[in-house]
Amino acid sequence: MKLPGNFFLVGMMGAGKTTVGRALAKVSGKVFYDTDHEIESRTGAKIPIIFEVEGEAGFRRREVAMIKELSAQKNIVLATGGGAVLNPANRAILRREGFVIYLRASVDELYLRTCHDKNRPLLQTENPKQRLQEFYEIRDPLYCEVADLVIDTSRQTVHSLLQLLMKELELHAD
């Protein structure tokens, strides 16, 4: 099914933005991009290395530039990084250039999905679950602010999530 415009996925790390984004792009006939993957492919460095060398501020500068560039394209699905909404410029670009979908999951679910992932530098702490909780408290209101649609991804298969998402998108397209 062809749905017009760009779809931008926001949400915490581990919410399913990349997985759901790929599936959504496939069924909607759009091209899929992931800001983190694009940054890695263009720099030739993994996100943890970028954080190590440039710090979070350096990574966030790259993220803003990538969101600005990719959102200017037409008919894409873009999975943004979990912290992208922290920057007001990113929130403005996303709202202006497409339909924003917040994939929401509980902190417990996010922890289960990310606890063994060493490619998430912000979770390499003594208590990653507490860190996720802190991020959630700061970011959830920002995700809600920018979102045109909120979908709960906890305890759902990609297939059921995609069916729900397509139904919601069809309603919003009318």
Side-chain angles (χ1 to χ4, degrees):
M1 156 183 258
K2 281 280 195 188
L3 293 170
N6 292 333
F7 297 137
F8 302 133
L9 302 177
V10 299
M12 293 282 292
M13 58 185 96
K17 298 180 301 289
T18 300
T19 303
V20 172
R22 279 193 181 108
L24 177 59
K26 188 174 183 178
V27 300
S28 65
K30 297 179 184 300
V31 177
F32 175 73
Y33 293 99
D34 178 298
T35 55
D36 287 353
H37 294 164
E38 290 296 313
I39 290 168
E40 286 182 341
S41 100
R42 293 182 190 197
T43 61
K46 293 281 188 192
I47 301 297
I49 300 298
I50 295 170
F51 266 77
E52 192 177 307
V53 173
E54 299 179 5
E56 185 175 358
F59 172 77
R60 297 293 174 206
R61 280 191 296 277
R62 290 180 183 278
E63 185 176 57
V64 170
M66 189 61 60
I67 288 173
K68 192 173 192 177
E69 176 189 326
L70 293 172
S71 67
Q73 297 187 37
K74 300 296 178 223
N75 288 311
I76 68 164
V77 174
L78 176 64
T80 64
V85 296
L86 296 171
N87 186 313
N90 286 340
R91 293 195 307 273
I93 290 167
L94 295 173
R95 295 265 326 158
R96 183 178 65 243
E97 300 296 335
F99 188 87
V100 182
I101 303 159
Y102 170 20
L103 299 182
R104 179 189 259 163
S106 69
V107 171
D108 288 337
E109 185 76 22
L110 296 168
Y111 178 71
L112 288 173
R113 295 177 187 176
T114 61
C115 65
H116 299 295
D117 189 342
K118 300 299 178 209
N119 204 36
R120 300 183 187 275
L122 294 175
L123 292 185
Q124 304 312 306
T125 66
E126 190 75 25
N127 190 341
K129 189 171 183 182
Q130 180 182 339
R131 174 67 63 90
L132 280 169
Q133 181 65 47
E134 292 164 0
F135 287 160
Y136 188 88
E137 288 171 11
I138 293 165
R139 296 173 182 182
D140 182 64
L142 299 174
Y143 297 136
C144 288
E145 172 193 316
V146 75
D148 295 299
L149 176 64
V150 179
I151 297 281
D152 184 358
T153 67
S154 297
R155 294 189 209 100
Q156 291 194 56
T157 66
V158 174
H159 180 72
S160 64
L161 264 172
L162 194 56
Q163 285 183 315
L164 173 63
L165 189 50
M166 290 305 290
K167 190 164 63 170
E168 289 291 333
L169 291 172
E170 286 172 27
L171 290 173
H172 281 83
D174 292 338

